[in-house]
Amino acid sequence: MDTLTRMRAFIDVVEAEGFSAAARKIGRSKALLSKYVRELEDELGALLLNRTTRQFSLTEAGHTYYQRASEILREVESLQEAVRESSSDIKGRIKISAPRTFADADIGQCLVDFCAEQPDIVLDVRLDDRFVDLVEEGFDLAIRITRMQDSSLIAKRIAPFHVIVCGSPELIERVGKPARPEQLAGLPCIIDTNNRTRNAWQFHNNDGAPLSVQVAGPIEINSPLSGRRAALAGLGFALIPDFIAQADIDSGRLVGVLEEFVPRDAGIYAVYPHRRYLPAKVRVLVDYLAKWFKDNRRNA
């Protein structure tokens, strides 16, 4: 019995949270999985699981082994795919993490268009506004709208991105158009609580120095789409992603302000773990997204 088989059995048991559930999931007997895990522990000379009649838990050694073994198996699977796959034979499942804002906005169409073009690939899209741990949670790819800082990941910038400070014409007629970011502190603002800085809006001065402005207003909500609706209703100035606000700016329903003070160093990134062998199916998706944004969005 080879180590990889025992390793896979251990990971299946951990991820299914039990021997019985793992046995049902992968179609093997509970006794066989128990045997594999016991042999793995004997081989390592360490206890990986604390077992009771009702539940089990990972030991400290088991937790460490699970994390590293998961990475090793993904490397093995990626290597196998790299050898097997050709450009004319792209298939399989891609597990993706993306923010809800991305999928709910018009740009979410890119994922639908990819599925239509690649019928042999299944996209398993998990929408979550938090930054998931790609390695620990087993994601192949993440879409992130941010300034990239994590050097342990590989990131490809697939589109430019910036936020727009905007308000309705009625609001500007009522309270005036701010000429400096600091003036927002005395004006009604709509707070998107998904924003990492919440009500501390980030700008830069004319000399490039960072500037933070504390704002407040009549509504706080964790959705830029709802923030847009509040801005259209004249409730206050809003900080909205360009791919959500731009159509309203173009039509005159919203008016952009303080453009020269808004940082433009962020982007939309396709992010994946640092692996030696990137699966061909993931590479095809990343390349497709970059081309889709080039064809469908004007440059910021």
Side-chain angles (χ1 to χ4, degrees), residues 195-241:
N195 191 324
R196 285 186 168 186
T197 59
R198 295 177 68 94
N199 63 332
W201 288 6
Q202 304 303 303
F203 300 92
H204 57 68
N205 283 311
N206 293 329
D207 61 0
L211 172 65
S212 180
V213 178
Q214 293 287 326
V215 299
I219 186 170
E220 299 183 3
I221 194 163
N222 65 336
S223 164
L225 291 170
S226 296
R228 165 187 170 270
R229 285 194 289 270
L232 288 169
L235 292 183
F237 291 98
L239 197 64
I240 305 177

Side-chain angles (χ1 to χ4, degrees), residues 74-89:
R74 280 194 289 269
E75 281 288 330
V76 171
E77 290 165 0
S78 295
L79 174 57
Q80 290 172 338
E81 288 189 16
V83 173
R84 278 198 310 263
E85 293 174 336
S86 67
S87 60
S88 61
D89 184 26

Side-chain angles (χ1 to χ4, degrees), residues 87-252:
S87 60
S88 61
D89 184 26
I90 305 298
K91 61 180 63 176
R93 176 180 292 266
I94 304 176
K95 186 178 178 182
I96 303 173
S97 171
R100 295 182 184 278
T101 300
F102 178 89
D104 291 343
D106 290 343
I107 58 174
Q109 182 67 33
C110 65
L111 299 177
V112 176
D113 291 348
F114 176 81
C115 288
E117 185 167 307
Q118 296 288 345
D120 292 330
I121 293 179
V122 176
L123 294 187
D124 178 2
V125 183
R126 311 291 179 92
L127 302 181
D128 200 325
D129 293 321
R130 68 185 176 90
F131 272 26
V132 301
D133 187 315
L134 297 185
V135 174
E136 185 167 341
E137 299 182 47
F139 283 95
D140 298 297
L141 184 76
I143 304 297
R144 290 185 176 169
I145 305 171
T146 185
R147 298 175 181 86
M148 286 306 303
Q149 297 175 332
D150 190 345
S151 60
S152 68
L153 301 172
I154 301 175
K156 179 171 182 177
R157 191 172 189 259
I158 57 177
F161 165 78
H162 67 279
V163 292
I164 298 175
V165 182
C166 53
S168 68
E170 295 76 16
L171 173 73
I172 292 175
E173 183 178 353
R174 187 171 76 248
V175 304
K177 185 176 183 179
R180 290 279 309 172
E182 296 91 335
Q183 293 175 330
L184 288 172
L187 297 174
C189 292
I190 298 157
I191 312 302
D192 180 359
T193 55
N194 267 343
N195 191 324
R196 285 186 168 186
T197 59
R198 295 177 68 94
N199 63 332
W201 288 6
Q202 304 303 303
F203 300 92
H204 57 68
N205 283 311
N206 293 329
D207 61 0
L211 172 65
S212 180
V213 178
Q214 293 287 326
V215 299
I219 186 170
E220 299 183 3
I221 194 163
N222 65 336
S223 164
L225 291 170
S226 296
R228 165 187 170 270
R229 285 194 289 270
L232 288 169
L235 292 183
F237 291 98
L239 197 64
I240 305 177
D242 62 331
F243 56 80
I244 292 176
Q246 194 60 57
D248 294 315
I249 299 289
D250 293 342
S251 69

